[in-house]
Amino acid sequence: SRKATTQFNCFIHNAEDIGMHDPDSIEGIYTMLKSQAHTLKSEGGYGTNASFIRPSGSYVLGIGARTPGVLKFMELWDKSSEIITQGANKILGSERQDEKKKIRKGAMMLVLSIWHPDIEEFIVAKQTPGRLTKFNMSVGITEGFMEAVKNDLDWDLVFPDTECPEYKSQWKGNLADWKSKGLPIITHKTVKAKDLWDKIATSTYNRAEPGIMFLDTANKLNPVFYTETIHASNPCGEVLASTGVCNLCSVNLPMYITEIAGKIVFDFESYGKAIRLGVRFLDNINTISPTPLPEYDMMVNKKRRIGLGNMGLGSLLFILGMKYGSKESLEFVEKLYRCKSENELLASSELGLEKGSFPLFQK
């Protein structure tokens, strides 16, 4: 009955995949903010990569002044989340029979890529209590950076030349794409990669943030790598994807314990059936659920992405008498996830036969 709310858990939203012109402008930034507001209003979470925003201290030609940078602009997202999900502590008019007692909390993920000149400020942002409290924050890590850490090399913090004539039309936050076109970048600072890595580790130890995302690895493992580039995840990091939906549910593993000849065992057959049912269930959610933005609708229909997970693995191993992390438990987990993967693929192929493949499918 609530057509403005969604059955999807959360959403990922990036300037690059939505055809936005000149995202690093007031018009672009506030258009992205408006999309965030619509997403949170629908009670879906929101994840984005803000690396498209020029770094703090950059000169803005049109106004003859310097920009405050990524972190300051993200305070807009933070305040927007606070307001949209706050609700009210008073009631005007009569109370409605179907009204909610509270609105779903606005979960968000903010990613900044490791090459961005604002990354040092980003890493320590949560060391200040009360700052950007509506966000989970993660650093987008590249293989090049990890190699620099391992080999104790320097690491350049860079950004495109914002006065380049192609900046407004070509810059969408994807540095690799910008470089591939031979367009100019400016090195704003050079640091020791290990120092940056230590700063991440120290901040995470002290305040549990930021997390890290291995974006190169995510793109290599992405089943639809041929049609998208991943820059971010949903708020809790279960799904790394381009702009689109997070359609999630979990199978409760201890539910598939059974007793055979007086011995407690895991029922792989029943579990496999649950996995196949879960794939169909989530695909049906793709069909029936509204989304708050047309770009989300488009991605749902083109990719039909789902996220079927497990829960209760630790409890399951305890009940089966296996020590978590032991050789026996690792062998069992490998068997469990092989069963999950095989049944997911079978269920997906059956859906393709029954309903037709998703439009961006490449055999």
Side-chain angles (χ1 to χ4, degrees):
S1 64
R2 298 186 180 99
K3 293 181 180 178
T5 57
T6 183
Q7 279 77 51
F8 294 121
N9 303 67
C10 36
F11 301 84
I12 302 164
H13 197 250
N14 275 305
E16 183 181 28
D17 354 85
I18 61 175
M20 181 175 289
H21 175 74
D22 192 18
D24 182 31
S25 63
I26 287 296
E27 290 79 8
I29 289 168
Y30 276 82
T31 298
M32 292 287 285
L33 180 62
K34 180 181 175 183
S35 297
Q36 178 253 24
H38 279 297
T39 303
L40 295 183
K41 186 188 77 170
S42 77
E43 300 199 343
Y46 181 89
T48 194
N49 186 316
S51 300
F52 66 91
I53 298 176
R54 69 187 74 191
S56 173
S58 298
Y59 184 71
V60 183
L61 196 62
I63 60 172
R66 304 280 170 175
T67 180
V70 172
L71 276 293
K72 200 65 187 173
F73 274 112
M74 286 301 111
E75 290 178 14
L76 291 168
W77 269 250
D78 209 57
K79 181 56 74 172
S80 172
S81 175
E82 177 191 327
I83 293 168
I84 293 219
T85 62
Q86 183 172 329
N89 57 9
K90 66 178 183 179
I91 297 173
L92 289 180
S94 59
E95 194 167 355
R96 305 300 174 93
Q97 194 171 13
D98 69 337
E99 75 177 73
K100 300 173 182 179
K101 300 302 178 189
K102 62 187 293 187
I103 298 171
R104 186 185 180 195
K105 181 185 174 186
M108 293 194 296
M109 172 65 78
L110 175 61
V111 181
L112 195 68
S113 297
I114 192 68
W115 46 260
H116 197 284
D118 282 353
I119 196 65
E120 290 178 294
E121 182 189 1
F122 181 90
I123 290 167
V124 300
K126 288 286 190 82
Q127 305 303 302
T128 304
R131 192 176 188 196
L132 299 175
T133 59
K134 307 302 179 186
F135 279 112
N136 290 321
M137 297 171 71
S138 284
V139 178
I141 301 288
T142 63
E143 289 179 351
F145 174 72
M146 292 312 300
E147 286 299 316
V149 172
K150 289 177 189 174
N151 297 308
D152 196 17
L153 301 176
D154 288 342
W155 181 252
D156 292 336
L157 303 183
V158 303
F159 201 78
D161 180 356
T162 58
E163 295 185 33
C164 168
E166 290 87 359
Y167 184 74
K168 285 190 174 185
S169 61
Q170 297 298 316
W171 176 241
K172 302 289 189 291
N174 186 337
L175 188 66
D177 176 66
W178 180 266
K179 284 181 174 179
S180 73
K181 294 171 181 173
L183 296 169
I185 63 170
I186 296 174
T187 299
H188 291 276
K189 187 177 180 181
T190 300
V191 298
K192 297 295 288 185
K194 273 189 176 178
D195 290 346
L196 206 51
W197 183 250
D198 286 346
K199 187 172 282 191
I200 294 170
T202 302
S203 295
T204 302
Y205 180 82
N206 289 334
R207 296 283 293 184
E209 295 228 45
I212 55 174
M213 286 183 192
F214 294 103
L215 295 178
D216 288 346
T217 305
N219 279 292
K220 283 183 180 178
L221 296 175
N222 182 14
V224 287
F225 66 92
Y226 51 85
T227 189
E228 68 179 18
T229 302
I230 293 172
H231 297 291
S233 80
N234 69 318
C236 295
E238 303 100 324
V239 176
L240 280 81
S242 66
T243 293
V245 307
C246 233
N247 183 6
L248 309 177
C249 76
S250 290
V251 176
N252 190 5
L253 293 172
M255 296 292 290
Y256 301 95
I257 287 171
T258 189
E259 190 174 335
I260 298 177
K263 185 179 179 183
I264 295 173
V265 296
F266 187 75
D267 187 345
F268 280 95
E269 185 178 349
S270 294
Y271 173 68
K273 287 179 181 176
I275 292 298
R276 293 196 297 276
L277 184 64
V279 169
R280 183 172 289 269
F281 172 83
L282 289 174
D283 186 66
N284 286 339
I285 295 295
N286 275 335
T287 299
I288 67 172
S289 179
T291 77
L293 297 172
E295 52 260 43
Y296 296 148
D297 278 335
M298 182 175 69
M299 297 303 180
V300 168
N301 294 324
K302 283 187 173 182
K303 297 176 186 174
R304 309 292 294 184
R305 182 179 256 115
I306 64 170
L308 181 59
N310 285 330
M311 60 184 289
L313 177 61
S315 298
L316 174 64
L317 294 174
F318 178 79
I319 294 166
L320 294 175
M322 297 182 195
K323 184 179 178 182
Y324 193 96
S326 66
K327 185 173 184 290
E328 183 187 21
S329 76
L330 294 177
E331 289 171 354
F332 173 80
V333 167
E334 184 172 345
K335 184 179 177 183
L336 176 76
Y337 277 90
R338 182 174 293 277
C339 174
K340 179 176 183 288
S341 180
E342 287 174 352
N343 280 283
E344 285 169 333
L345 290 168
L346 284 169
S348 183
S349 62
E350 287 166 4
L351 281 175
L353 185 65
E354 179 185 328
K355 299 182 179 181
S357 297
F358 61 94
L360 290 176
F361 174 71
Q362 281 190 15
K363 186 177 180 180

